[in-house]
Amino acid sequence: MQNKSTKALYLIPYGAWILLFVVAPIALVVYYSLFDIHGDFTFSNYKAFFSSVYLELTLSSFWYAFLITLFSLLISYPTAYFLTKTKHKQLWLLLIIIPSWINLLLKTYAFIGIFGQYGPINAFFAAIGIGSTQLLFTDFSFIFVSVYIFIPFMILPIFNAIDRLNPALIDASRDLGASPWTTFRRVILPLTMNGVKSGIQVTFIPALSLFMITRLIAGNKVITLGTAIEQQFLVTQNWGMGSTIAVFLILFMFIIMLFTGQKEKGGASVGKTK
Amino acid sequence: MTQQPIIRFDNVSKRYNDDTTVLSNISFEMERGKFYTLLGPSGCGKTTILRLIAGFIEPSSGEIQFNGKKINEVPPNERQVNTVFQDYALFPHLNVFENVAFGLRIKKIKQAEVKRRVEEALRFVNLQGYENREISEMSGGQRQRVAIARAIVNDPEIILLDEPLSALDLKLRTEMQYELRELQQRLGKTFIFVTHDQEEALAMSDEIFVMNAGEIVQSGTPIDIYDEPINRFVADFIGESNIVDGVMIRDHLVRFAGKEFECVDAGLDTNEKIEVVIRPEDLEITSPERGKLIVTVDTQLFRGVHYELSTYDRDGNEWLVHSTRKAQVGDEIGLDFDPEAIHVMRLNESEEDFDRRLESYEVPDHAE
Amino acid sequence: MGKQSNAQKLFLALVFIILYAPIFFLIFYSFNSNGTMSSFESFTWEHYAAVFDDTRLIMIVLNTVIVALLSALISTAIGVLGALAIVYLKNRKLRNTLLSLNNVLIVSPDVIIGASFLILFTAVGVRLGFASVLISHIAFSVPIVVLMVLPKLLEMSDSLIDAARDLGASGRDVLTRVIIPYIKPGIFAGFFLALTYSLDDFAVTFFVTGNGFSTLSVEIYSMARAGISLTINALSGLIFIVTIGLVLVYYALNRRNRTPVTGVKK
Ligand SMILES: Nc1ncnc2c1ncn2[C@@H]1O[C@H](COP(=O)(O)OP(=O)(O)OP(=O)(O)O)[C@@H](O)[C@H]1O
Ligand SMILES: [Mg+2]
């Protein structure tokens, strides 16, 4: 048995980290949300949040996050499923993940060129006679780029869930007379639900709080909760209002985690998106 | 020959969280160079005793002595005791050589000597040439031998083995029983071996400690324990047996199954209620006229070396019989046995009283 | 499961093309002498030369790498100690509380982390710049390291530690000769993840960096807001090659340690 005091020593740096960087920041955000721009104690920030401007903002933020998550899922699930059937699946998976390791800003920057007035997409449209269209700074480009960014993070947990599935279960289902489609619906999908939930978790919450893509690709047309926080903190310098929005974002985060929480705690959700 | 015992437990108790008593007031002594076995059902506290000796846990009360010195609080790394763990606990990040060398490296022994001693230990367990193998590349039996080599290489006074054979198949298990016993005799070390397999205990040990629910119920040589079980629990646990209620009429006369029989037991109260044990192999099949008991054959199984018959007497007592002779199911047969085959057990007799009683009528027998 | 149909292959191929297209698009135009990302004129290295001539940019790259390496190292140390502390905690409630707190930073959106750290640094009086960025990166990497190391520690059987003690190892020996070697794959995985998260981070850094200090992500952001510059493209090409190199190193290390490439336990 190791010495009790050495064991206590392990706890000190980690405990200090938790207090300083987990507990204190949240407490400070809540504290700051109770002050207005002049530093006076007030609930006006909360009142303001329930005004139509912020409610609309919240709704549209949720709507975009929903669309982004939905499209990511529609692409990721089949991709993950087909990937598990490839011969060198770990290698293919690695190839899916590599793009996620290229700096996010660079990929976003690439889309400025691709969707640009003289970019390849518009050139293609011109070639088939549609004529050039405004692609950049639209809802479409915002959702497209976001989905592009989130796909690898969604694929990973789903892939792991499908990969972990015991193949004998599928054989058993087929043996009991289920068609491939029924097998998928009744056996594979329910058993991989945990992977889907972690995928939704790592997509929906960050999608609510995107701000870099909204600025670069959506050109301030799409405003999300994340953009609003950034705006309040770094542009308007109204930390009180920014903190209030942050408090609600944290609340939403906990609610979403409750919904997508899992009984079995796996390391599957170790996918963090910027 | 009053040699200093190597291990002595003096009223040792072990409690967890102050309420669950795992061992209660255990006292025993172990002599140097013998093969001891702790035998008992799952959860009776065998591993707990080993962990107390190894030093992983401390007793809640009582004293543990090693060579006459109290060692209650000595940490495991300062005890001359090494353990072969049930799951072997081999280090997966080290190869066979480094696993065996682990203890020597801790003691900062020179490389040349480490090499010599590790190779010697591996030779002892018939694993020479396996030095550079990874643990994952070894079979179950080989891993077990690595675990033994890792323990003996440190030249401990005592080697503790916690059910080391339980993961092996029957054939390998029997083989390893021979090897272990032989190894212990070659090394001359004290082995304390844990098992819940009574055949294994009978085959290997110099002395067996039968345990139940945190207490040592009986200790003695395999033959003593097999022939003279102290109570129903031991009789049942060590081999199959027929146990019936009876009454002691007077010395050398006992009544059970509706009849009186001559026996060798004495020194009990007149008309004392007792239990009688007769081993299935001590019962012999004869004709009903010549049998001391008359029974009907209910089932018969062929067990390889013998037939196992389940029979019932007229009072409804079941009698198991092991016989090389065959009988017919449904037949009435007689069962014959010697007076020595009857073992009388007093109810709730302590081990000391039991030993004293046995000595009182067995000493003349042994004084040849 | 059945064989892959052609439709499935086509689908996968499309996904791969879309995933890689932007990256190769960037690299392709990094060789364009025209200076735009639309019409390719002729091949040139000039944008790469521009990257190496730009001492400010090179300083920023160096800053980024230094912050990543330092934060990965320090957070790995804290994270390993944290995982050990969690494992040694007997009290179940306390243990679960610690684990939940550990996961808060993993699921928190970067905007929240950035904004709350900004408040924290201002409240405590840390000057925004190298120190605040480094501290932030350490802070958000610690829980990742804990999550990578913890399963390894939990899977380790107690009897291994008993065995080491039994063979004469002191508490220190047990740590250095048994526990650390055993959890090494987890430590490596944690370190590499911390490294990539730091290199990749934009939002948190954007909040807590001051005027004088910048990392690559923040720099690219301001360059991109200013419009297209093929220096960024050349930089992408270089980063892509370095990333592939890192992946190969990680892959090789992992091969030796026999854990899946993805860093996610099966
Ligand atoms: N750390 C502990 N805390 C509480 N109770 C314990 C602890 N360790 C063991 N016990 C209890 O002590 C009793 C004896 O355990 P022990 O491991 O000695 O049994 P055993 O005889 O070795 O059994 P087996 O044959 O199954 O290995 C069991 O009832 C067990 O539940
Ligand atoms: Mg045990």
Side-chain angles (χ1 to χ4, degrees), chain B residues 42-43 45-48 86 162-163 194:
Chain B
S42 186
K46 306 178 296 284
T47 301
T48 307
Q86 178 159 9
D162 194 352
E163 304 196 31
V194 162

Side-chain angles (χ1 to χ4, degrees), chain A residues 135-178:
Chain A
L135 288 172
L136 219 49
F137 311 135
T138 59
D139 287 1
F140 163 78
S141 58
F142 170 63
I143 292 175
F144 187 95
V145 175
S146 305
V147 169
Y148 171 86
I149 299 292
F150 287 123
I151 287 176
F153 298 97
M154 186 84 127
I155 291 178
L156 196 58
I158 298 177
F159 174 91
N160 281 318
I162 299 177
D163 200 33
R164 226 175 314 180
L165 204 71
N166 184 352
L169 292 176
I170 292 157
D171 292 343
S173 162
R174 298 303 304 275
D175 183 66
L176 294 169

Side-chain angles (χ1 to χ4, degrees), chain C residues 50 136 220:
Chain C
S136 306
I220 295 170

Side-chain angles (χ1 to χ4, degrees), chain B residues 16-17 20 22 40-49 86 163 196:
Chain B
Y16 283 107
N17 312 323
T20 45
V22 174
S42 186
C44 69
K46 306 178 296 284
T47 301
T48 307
I49 291 190
Q86 178 159 9
E163 304 196 31
H196 51 229

Side-chain angles (χ1 to χ4, degrees), chain B residues 149-187:
Chain B
R150 187 175 69 174
I152 63 177
V153 77
N154 303 293
D155 202 22
E157 298 264 353
I158 305 178
I159 294 178
L160 308 174
L161 304 104
D162 194 352
E163 304 196 31
L165 306 183
S166 59
L168 307 181
D169 65 55
L170 187 64
K171 185 160 174 291
L172 191 56
R173 199 179 164 122
T174 328
E175 233 170 75
M176 291 304 301
Q177 286 173 2
Y178 280 111
E179 281 188 31
L180 261 186
R181 178 68 177 143
E182 197 224 1
L183 181 73
Q184 187 266 338
Q185 277 161 351
R186 263 192 293 160
L187 290 169

Side-chain angles (χ1 to χ4, degrees), chain A residues 1-2 7 9-11 13-14 17-18 20-26 28-29 32 74-75 78-79 81-86 90-107 109-114 118-120 144 148 151-152 155-156 160 163-164 170-171 201 205-206 209-212 215-216 220 226 229-230 233-234 239 243 246 249-250 253-254 257 265 267-274, chain C residues 1-4 8 11-12 15-16 18-20 22-23 25-26 37-38 78 81-82 84-86 88-90 98 101-113 115-123 135 138-140 142-144 146-148 165 171-172 175 179 193 196-197 199-203 206-207 217 220-221 224-225 227-230 232-233 236 239-240 243-244 247 250-251 260-262 264-266:
Chain A
M1 270 155 280
Q2 243 170 317
K7 284 183 189 173
L9 273 182
Y10 296 147
L11 203 51
Y14 183 65
W17 168 81
I18 284 195
L20 265 176
F21 297 104
V22 182
V23 180
I26 293 182
L28 280 172
V29 165
Y32 267 71
L74 285 180
I75 296 171
T79 307
Y81 184 63
F82 299 152
L83 273 179
T84 57
K85 294 198 199 173
T86 53
Q90 288 294 340
L91 183 69
W92 287 112
L93 183 66
L94 181 69
L95 286 176
I96 290 272
I97 294 168
I98 286 178
S100 74
W101 285 341
I102 304 290
N103 197 302
L104 175 61
L105 271 298
L106 290 178
K107 288 179 290 188
Y109 168 75
F111 279 102
I112 298 181
I114 292 174
Y118 307 104
F144 187 95
Y148 171 86
I151 287 176
I155 291 178
L156 196 58
N160 281 318
D163 200 33
R164 226 175 314 180
I170 292 157
D171 292 343
Q201 220 177 61
I205 300 169
S209 47
L210 283 171
F211 74 88
M212 181 272 301
R215 289 246 187 277
L216 290 183
N220 290 347
I229 294 176
E230 188 246 4
F233 267 92
L234 300 180
W239 288 17
S243 297
L249 192 48
I250 292 173
M253 182 183 95
F254 279 122
M257 284 180 60
K265 284 267 174 204
S269 56
V270 191
K272 184 175 146 154
T273 14
K274 303 287 135 178
Chain C
M1 278 179 262
K3 275 264 145 57
Q4 278 201 304
Q8 297 181 359
F11 183 88
L12 277 186
V15 170
F16 273 101
I18 292 179
L19 276 179
Y20 280 90
I23 297 163
F25 175 81
L26 277 187
M37 273 206 276
S38 44
I78 300 177
L81 289 182
L84 284 170
I86 290 178
Y88 286 143
L89 268 185
K90 290 275 141 56
L98 273 190
L101 287 173
N102 188 68
N103 290 346
V104 166
L105 279 195
I106 288 184
V107 290
S108 293
D110 290 349
V111 183
I112 302 281
I113 299 180
S116 63
F117 282 9
L118 174 62
I119 299 180
L120 179 74
F121 290 132
T122 318
I135 294 172
I138 293 171
F140 70 62
V142 166
I144 301 152
V146 171
L147 275 197
M148 297 316 286
R165 299 282 288 155
R172 207 195 144 90
L175 187 68
I179 298 179
L193 268 182
T196 50
Y197 279 11
L199 287 173
D200 217 31
D201 177 69
F202 161 72
F206 189 64
F207 271 88
S217 305
I220 295 170
Y221 180 71
R225 290 201 88 176
I228 285 171
S229 146
L230 290 194
I232 304 182
N233 293 54
S236 314
I239 290 177
F240 185 71
T243 307
I244 298 291
V247 169
Y250 183 68
Y251 193 64
V261 220
T262 48
V264 175
K265 300 255 15 165
K266 277 193 238 174

